[in-house]
Amino acid sequence: MSKIIVLNKRPVGRPTLDDFKFMDEEIPVPEDGEVLLKTVYVSVDPYLRGRMNDSKSYVPPFELNNPIQSGSIAEVLETKNPHFEKGTFYLGNLDWKEYQVSNGKGLTKIDDDASKLSRYLGVLGMTGLTGYLGLTEIGLPKAGETLVVSGAAGAVGTVVGQIGKIIGCKVVGITGSDEKVELLKSKFKFDDAINYKTTANLKDAIAKACHNGVDIYFDNVGGEISDAVLTNINKFARLPVCGAISMYNETKVPMGPRLQPILLTKSATMTGFIVGNYSEKFARTTKLLAIWLEEGKLTFSETIVDGFDNIPQAFLNLFDGKNEGKMIVKV
Ligand code: NDP
């Protein structure tokens, strides 16, 4: 039998384990043109929270009683499709199922060591692309500028900060624990980092860490953290809005400072960023990130949780900051 995870109910506020349901189904048999896939790694991502709501967005909502899907890596166990070889590994947006069949559409072959597969869900996958493209396309960083990144110790944030350093920016991260502050400064070479959970006056702490003001704010979290950064931006600042995790579980539309006067007086540009809009740059960017990894210019962290049964909990743990770098489940 194959275990599957479906959306049991739509969460109100913070999701819980009850919102997911485990079911069993027969291991499917591939027909002509199809392959049988065995899931190896599953990515859990904050954006999945939005897909659990019944609302229109840039990706359609998950259907009740249907499997959740996310970026996953799977092995070809059986093949009735001449383009797929048994024992090879593919990346795709797959159902949360131990086994599933596919006609091969949307799958990308991973030609790399088995020990490196999980990277294609993180630094060499969607979050690496997001960090690089969001920063370079919208943030337009220049050497000598000051870059602030929130959600700094996560999958996207660690890539953003390191690319900022490669370009020659001063990089300041905002994150949720002292361990992560240390990690950002030691492993990821950030110039400074701030623990938003223990800092009483975030606005002043950012001003102190960024003597010359903030030229680029890469926003992964939204809410009060971003309000504090915005009070420190420089003239012509660029603000890629990549995520707003602090607001994903809100049940009411939160009210913050009105941004127009800040953006106006600072001639600043705040731009929403969705990585999928840049798909023509994926192959080139992945190649560049792989070269930087090989050369040691870029590094990464992964939090790998063991077991298919732990996929929902690993997802919930994102909202408690229990990951360093990319949160991945090894099935
Ligand atoms: P992360 O690896 O950064 O994991 C989420 C992190 O968010 C947690 O580790 C936690 O770190 C932090 N967090 C959780 N709750 C809060 C809160 N209330 N306030 C502040 N921080 C919080 O996830 P990703 O790197 O995958 O994603 C980062 C952001 O980028 C998300 O908002 C995501 O939706 C977005 N995203 C957007 C994409 C796009 O195309 N626009 C593509 C991919 C991701 P801490 O310990 O620091 O609190």
Side-chain angles (χ1 to χ4, degrees), residues 69-137:
Q69 283 175 348
S70 66
S72 303
I73 289 166
E75 181 182 357
V76 176
L77 276 197
E78 279 177 49
T79 174
K80 288 197 175 156
N81 180 322
H83 301 295
F84 288 79
E85 224 178 284
K86 191 177 164 169
T88 51
F89 292 91
Y90 281 82
L91 169 70
N93 199 35
L94 298 177
D95 289 346
W96 284 5
K97 294 181 171 187
E98 286 180 303
Y99 299 89
Q100 59 200 288
V101 288
S102 161
N103 60 11
K105 227 177 124 198
L107 297 182
T108 306
K109 190 169 185 208
I110 302 177
D111 275 317
D112 210 334
D113 296 354
S115 64
K116 295 181 180 168
L117 290 175
S118 57
R119 296 176 187 196
Y120 292 85
L121 295 177
V123 65
L124 296 180
M126 191 267 283
T127 53
L129 292 167
T130 299
Y132 179 91
L133 292 168
L135 181 64
T136 55
E137 298 284 329

Side-chain angles (χ1 to χ4, degrees), residues 2-248:
S2 168
K3 279 191 229 175
I4 74 172
I5 303 172
V6 302
L7 180 63
N8 188 34
K9 53 189 176 63
R10 300 204 183 274
V12 179
R14 206 182 162 88
T16 65
L17 287 178
D18 288 348
D19 299 324
F20 303 90
K21 186 164 67 189
F22 282 83
M23 296 170 75
D24 289 317
E25 65 177 20
E26 296 286 337
I27 297 177
V29 178
E31 295 183 356
D32 280 349
E34 290 183 338
V35 290
L36 174 65
L37 299 172
K38 180 177 196 283
T39 308
V40 183
Y41 288 105
V42 173
S43 171
V44 288
D45 300 273
Y47 83 91
L48 299 174
R49 175 64 186 86
R51 295 195 68 187
M52 296 172 83
N53 295 336
D54 189 14
S55 53
K56 230 178 159 182
S57 186
Y58 63 99
V59 269
F62 293 124
E63 298 289 338
L64 283 175
N65 295 311
N66 277 304
I68 314 274
Q69 283 175 348
S70 66
S72 303
I73 289 166
E75 181 182 357
V76 176
L77 276 197
E78 279 177 49
T79 174
K80 288 197 175 156
N81 180 322
H83 301 295
F84 288 79
E85 224 178 284
K86 191 177 164 169
T88 51
F89 292 91
Y90 281 82
L91 169 70
N93 199 35
L94 298 177
D95 289 346
W96 284 5
K97 294 181 171 187
E98 286 180 303
Y99 299 89
Q100 59 200 288
V101 288
S102 161
N103 60 11
K105 227 177 124 198
L107 297 182
T108 306
K109 190 169 185 208
I110 302 177
D111 275 317
D112 210 334
D113 296 354
S115 64
K116 295 181 180 168
L117 290 175
S118 57
R119 296 176 187 196
Y120 292 85
L121 295 177
V123 65
L124 296 180
M126 191 267 283
T127 53
L129 292 167
T130 299
Y132 179 91
L133 292 168
L135 181 64
T136 55
E137 298 284 329
I138 311 278
L140 307 175
K142 292 188 278 299
E145 290 190 321
T146 299
L147 161 69
V148 171
V149 51
S150 55
V156 173
T158 48
V159 172
V160 171
Q162 292 181 92
I163 289 164
K165 288 305 298 176
I166 291 171
I167 289 167
C169 294
K170 172 177 174 157
V171 177
V172 175
I174 304 177
T175 188
S177 76
D178 290 344
E179 291 74 29
K180 290 186 183 183
V181 164
E182 265 326 294
L183 181 84
L184 290 175
K185 292 200 279 192
S186 54
K187 179 169 176 178
F188 293 105
K189 309 295 178 219
F190 281 47
D191 296 285
D192 210 343
I194 298 167
N195 179 347
Y196 71 88
K197 288 188 179 158
T198 56
T199 301
N201 187 328
L202 204 49
K203 177 181 157 202
D204 288 356
I206 294 162
K208 203 170 151 212
C210 306
H211 307 288
N212 297 324
V214 178
D215 299 298
I216 306 138
Y217 172 45
F218 193 103
D219 191 359
N220 279 316
V221 305
E224 288 176 9
I225 295 172
S226 301
D227 295 345
V229 181
L230 264 123
T231 58
N232 284 291
I233 60 170
N234 287 334
K235 195 170 177 194
F236 300 125
R238 284 84 64 203
L239 298 95
V241 180
C242 173
I245 191 169
S246 77
M247 297 153 84
Y248 291 170

